[in-house]
Amino acid sequence: MSLAHAWGALLRRDVILALRQRGQLANPLLFFVLVVALFPLGMNPDPNLLRSIAPGVIWVGALLAAMLALESMFRSDFDDGALEQMLLTPYPLPLLVLAKVAAHWLVTGLPLLLVAPLLAMLLNLEGQAVVILLASLALGTPLLSLIGAIGVALTVGLRRGGVLLSLLVLPLYVPVLIFAAGAVGNAQAGMAVTGQLAFLGALLALAVALAPLATAAALRISLD
Amino acid sequence: MWAWLHRLGSPKRFYGWSGTLARWAGWGSLLLGAAGLYYALFASPADYQQGESVRIMYVHVPAAWLSMFIYMNIAFASLTSLVWRIKVADMVAAASAPIGAWFTFLALATGSLWGKPMWGTWWIWDARLTSELILLFLYLGYIGLLAAIEERETAARAAAVLALVGVVNIPIIHYSVEWWSTLHQGATVTKLDKPSIDWTMLRPLLLMAFSATLFYVAVALRLARAELLRREADSQWVRALVDGHQGGGER
């Protein structure tokens, strides 16, 4: 099998496996909606106030939802031994990791983009800001999956890695949160957003290049 | 050169020279610290704006320096252990982490105590404070991962990967935070600018910084030595060492 063929096959397999367990797919998404919906309940639901906190709240919600979904990235493959087989294939592991991350993003990151306009409406986010919110999510959520993959790979062998995973991964998410929420905030204020989006794009390019290498190294250690 | 370094890094040799170095560093830290404290508390002037509370600086600034220096050291030791497979490097890295976390906490705590009289608040979301807080989380994550994996060697290698990921991220985090805070509160610049610090103040600061660095060297080496003995407990040289300590034949 050529490398491109193997890459596609792995991507397809992961997406199909995920789609067969729709319940698990829906959980992070529902979590995302719930977290964001809780904020107006916990405070004075003044439309102006909601509008001003909307970028941060939606992005923190996305961060937490993405983190919740991370665990499933390597878990079942680790449990049934498929991951070990992947390590033994002649294909470069970082590229296989990239395929798995891409599949994971398609089934967990992309849906966040689809419900984001709804949440934007709940928090009175309007016009240009919604477009920028979608753009920031489109650039930011793959980053979350790529960075998160390193953390998952490090903790996959542990029985209770969940809390530790959040401690490992959340500090690394800080730049994504700052640039993405900053872009949406700027769009609301009618200011330029190209700077923030360009930074997110640059971080994404960096992460695509480096994160799979770190993830592959971490997987080799975890499966040792 | 490499062969020489490898030999220095062999467990037995390391155990030998690190003991001497730790002892000297410990005494050096004590002496410099005593001198530094004397200059800091008695023989340096109070600041014309900040009054006596400027003396917090002599603890705060070395702690902040050390918090970053130790993380860099962990990353460097991690690289050494991953690339050249020098076992003692990951013990040094693991031993450094709790010390670094404490210095980070100390920098935050003294900064907070200093901030209250100077800025009128315990905490502001200033860029430096925020990066220091995130650095503390990075330390805690590193320590958490190290503690969570039972097999010591696997834990050390996993933590080494995490340290390298962290060190790539630190500049990104630092600049993003700086950018964010200047975006939000550019007007209320609260950073202390000290264009040229006077020698009477620089002297205790440098003494305290060297003292803290030597303290780190002394404690990290001792912790690493203890870990080394634990991990190599079954090897020949550790047994010989223990036998020697127990006065030969007494067992």
Side-chain angles (χ1 to χ4, degrees):
Chain A
M1 232 193 305
S2 74
L3 177 58
H5 197 100
W7 201 86
L10 183 57
L11 183 77
R12 225 167 64 89
R13 163 190 178 269
D14 270 26
V15 171
I16 290 173
L17 275 179
L19 289 181
R20 292 208 176 131
Q21 297 186 314
R22 292 213 184 82
Q24 275 198 356
L25 276 187
N27 284 343
L29 211 57
L30 288 175
F31 177 81
F32 182 38
V33 176
L34 265 173
V35 165
V36 173
L38 283 178
F39 272 86
L41 300 178
M43 52 192 280
N44 171 19
D46 169 39
N48 286 321
L49 188 59
L50 289 181
R51 198 172 298 134
S52 72
I53 63 161
V57 167
I58 293 179
W59 255 99
V60 169
L63 229 62
L64 296 178
M67 218 194 53
L68 202 66
L70 277 180
E71 276 258 63
S72 65
M73 194 184 287
F74 298 124
R75 171 58 60 192
S76 63
D77 281 349
F78 177 79
D79 286 342
D80 65 16
L83 205 54
E84 230 156 293
Q85 299 303 317
M86 256 169 250
L87 258 63
L88 296 174
T89 58
Y91 310 109
L93 187 58
L95 287 179
L96 295 185
V97 164
L98 199 58
K100 285 193 75 68
V101 173
H104 188 261
W105 177 75
L106 282 176
V107 294
T108 63
L110 203 56
L112 296 184
L113 258 96
L114 300 179
V115 296
L118 176 75
L119 297 175
M121 195 189 70
L122 286 178
L123 296 181
N124 298 312
L125 210 63
E126 281 158 352
Q128 182 70 11
V130 180
V131 180
I132 300 302
L133 173 69
L134 289 179
S136 73
L137 281 169
L139 286 169
T141 46
L143 255 172
L144 301 183
S145 294
L146 282 163
I147 299 172
I150 305 172
V152 189
L154 286 171
T155 54
V156 72
L158 300 173
R159 277 284 138 243
R160 269 182 238 115
V163 183
L164 182 63
L165 179 64
S166 58
L167 187 60
L168 300 187
V169 164
L170 281 181
L172 303 178
Y173 280 175
V174 167
V176 185
L177 175 67
I178 287 176
F179 289 124
V184 183
N186 271 16
Q188 273 182 319
M191 293 193 287
V193 295
T194 41
Q196 276 99 336
L197 292 182
F199 259 106
L200 278 180
L203 288 180
L204 182 57
L206 191 69
V208 166
L210 294 182
L213 294 175
T215 310
L219 280 178
R220 285 191 198 283
I221 291 169
S222 283
L223 288 171
D224 213 9
Chain B
M1 169 78 181
W2 284 121
W4 178 73
L5 271 183
H6 259 286
R7 230 175 305 131
L8 274 188
S10 82
K12 191 180 169 187
R13 291 292 280 285
F14 173 82
Y15 190 82
W17 63 260
S18 65
T20 319
L21 183 57
R23 197 154 42 243
W24 281 101
W27 284 111
S29 166
L30 209 62
L31 286 175
L32 289 181
L37 275 181
Y38 168 74
Y39 282 118
L41 296 179
F42 303 108
S44 70
D47 190 74
Y48 76 104
Q49 274 181 328
Q50 305 194 15
E52 299 290 345
S53 67
V54 73
R55 300 187 199 283
I56 296 174
M57 174 177 78
Y58 303 121
V59 178
H60 173 73
V61 173
W65 280 344
L66 262 283
S67 70
M68 287 175 268
F69 171 71
I70 293 176
Y71 199 92
M72 289 299 142
N73 220 18
I74 291 176
F76 183 71
S78 300
L79 188 73
T80 313
S81 101
L82 280 181
V83 176
W84 292 289
R85 304 276 162 147
I86 296 181
K87 254 196 280 179
V88 296
D90 63 47
M91 296 178 207
V92 170
S96 301
I99 312 171
W102 271 115
F103 271 119
T104 315
F105 175 76
L106 198 62
L108 284 168
T110 53
S112 183
L113 289 173
W114 196 6
K116 186 63 183 166
M118 288 305 107
W119 305 336
T121 170
W122 298 110
W123 180 263
I124 51 163
W125 288 95
D126 171 74
R128 281 202 216 178
L129 277 72
T130 313
S131 342
E132 195 73 7
L133 183 66
I134 294 168
L135 182 62
L136 181 63
F137 290 140
L138 287 176
Y139 269 120
L140 295 181
Y142 179 88
I143 295 171
L145 184 64
L146 211 50
I149 302 177
E150 230 149 88
E151 227 282 286
R152 303 308 306 156
E153 306 237 335
T154 314
R157 287 202 294 145
V161 171
L162 183 69
L164 290 181
V165 172
V167 89
V168 171
N169 267 281
I170 280 180
I172 299 174
I173 292 173
H174 180 78
Y175 284 107
S176 66
V177 165
E178 202 149 275
W179 204 44
W180 158 77
S181 93
T182 50
L183 271 182
H184 278 238
Q185 41 166 312
T188 58
V189 175
T190 34
K191 251 182 265 167
L192 304 157
D193 64 284
K194 32 187 183 206
S196 60
I197 183 167
D198 191 72
W199 170 241
T200 52
M201 287 180 156
L202 187 61
R203 182 171 46 192
L205 187 59
L206 287 180
L207 283 171
M208 290 301 280
F210 281 123
S211 166
T213 312
L214 288 177
F215 170 82
Y216 156 64
V217 171
V219 178
L221 284 180
R222 272 169 209 280
L223 286 174
R225 278 157 60 86
E227 172 71 21
L228 180 65
L229 287 184
R230 204 174 310 144
R231 251 197 250 178
E232 301 263 311
D234 293 333
S235 71
Q236 204 88 53
W237 67 271
V238 175
R239 285 184 188 194
L241 204 72
V242 173
D243 286 345
H245 263 290
Q246 292 182 339
E250 283 287 312
R251 286 168 69 190

